[in-house]
Amino acid sequence: MSGIYARRIAVLAASAALAATTGLLTAPTAQAAMPTPVAASTARTYLSQLTVSAEGSSSGYSRDKFPHWITQSGACNTREVVLKRDGTGVVQDSSCAATSGSWYSEYDGATWTAAADLDIDHMVPLAEAWRSGASGWTTAQRQSFANDLTRPQLIAVTDNVNQSKSDQDPGEWLPSRVAYRCTYARAWVHVKHYYGLSVDTTEKSALQSVLNGC
């Protein structure tokens, strides 16, 4: 009797394992995303700690002073790593270029199936960082900032939306998708706080307004 019972348990366990495996194979793939920014409460604290000063000059700024899309591993550069991370079912060729996949743009709610339709946005734009303190950094520090995969600084979004944002701060531009503004403000403050960048009064006011509604 005990042998039959044991065999029944084994059959049930095998069936459960098969069902679990089948579920894993048929379940939709969850989309990855940029690193989660600090909570709204922490962001409010961080914002209160940031230096408030008039925005600096763009004099001397060049994107070349922020070496970006550096090699991360093998043939993959930072852009390709983010495209793979932020997409669903992304297929890459031998040179690491995304040949197919699906991407949801958090800024405007659009979905794209061609990597060419996506830009990798720097949450805190390079020129904005330059005017907020990065002009005094070393090239190595600026390179780390421009390729930061650890903080919520890089995200794949609709290309023309990223271009409309340009180098504007939250006092001048926020995502049209209102549901994402809280995450956006949390990420912006997280990055600025980590890198010790300043905020201007209009920027700080806009961030406070968003974070108070989170």
Side-chain angles (χ1 to χ4, degrees):
M1 192 68 175
S2 59
I4 294 172
Y5 181 74
R7 282 196 297 275
R8 284 178 178 167
I9 292 296
V11 170
L12 287 170
S15 298
L18 178 62
T21 303
T22 304
L24 287 173
L25 292 174
T26 57
T29 304
Q31 179 175 313
M34 71 174 185
T36 303
V38 294
S41 56
T42 303
R44 286 191 287 269
T45 299
Y46 280 4
L47 182 58
S48 71
Q49 296 169 349
L50 294 180
T51 298
V52 179
S53 63
E55 199 164 80
S57 169
S58 292
S59 177
Y61 168 73
S62 166
R63 285 181 69 85
D64 294 340
K65 293 185 178 181
F66 292 79
H68 52 290
W69 308 165
I70 61 172
T71 300
Q72 292 291 341
S73 64
C76 302
N77 66 25
T78 308
R79 171 182 165 82
E80 290 148 354
V81 169
V82 176
L83 281 172
K84 175 74 170 178
R85 182 199 71 189
D86 288 5
T88 301
V90 178
V91 176
Q92 296 172 308
D93 63 19
S94 58
S95 64
C96 207
T99 57
S100 63
S102 176
W103 292 268
Y104 177 76
S105 172
E106 294 283 6
Y107 289 2
D108 59 333
T111 298
W112 304 97
T113 55
D117 290 321
L118 284 299
D119 276 355
I120 307 304
D121 180 42
H122 287 95
M123 178 63 62
V124 176
L126 305 182
E128 164 67 22
W130 177 270
R131 297 189 296 265
S132 304
S135 59
W137 294 353
T138 65
T139 299
Q141 287 173 315
R142 290 194 285 263
Q143 176 174 295
S144 294
F145 176 82
N147 297 276
D148 191 349
L149 294 167
T150 305
R151 262 64 55 182
Q153 165 66 346
L154 299 171
I155 184 171
V157 296
T158 303
D159 54 3
N160 65 333
V161 172
N162 180 53
Q163 290 151 24
S164 72
K165 171 184 171 179
S166 185
D167 62 352
Q168 299 177 92
D169 68 39
E172 304 159 316
W173 187 94
L174 286 168
S176 61
R177 185 169 161 255
V178 177
Y180 195 69
R181 289 183 179 180
C182 180
T183 302
Y184 187 85
R186 288 159 49 209
W188 183 281
V189 173
H190 185 154
V191 172
K192 280 221 162 177
H193 184 269
Y194 180 83
Y195 285 98
L197 297 170
S198 63
V199 290
D200 62 46
T201 53
T202 304
E203 174 188 357
K204 182 175 182 178
S205 177
L207 288 164
Q208 283 176 325
S209 178
V210 174
L211 291 172
N212 287 340
C214 292

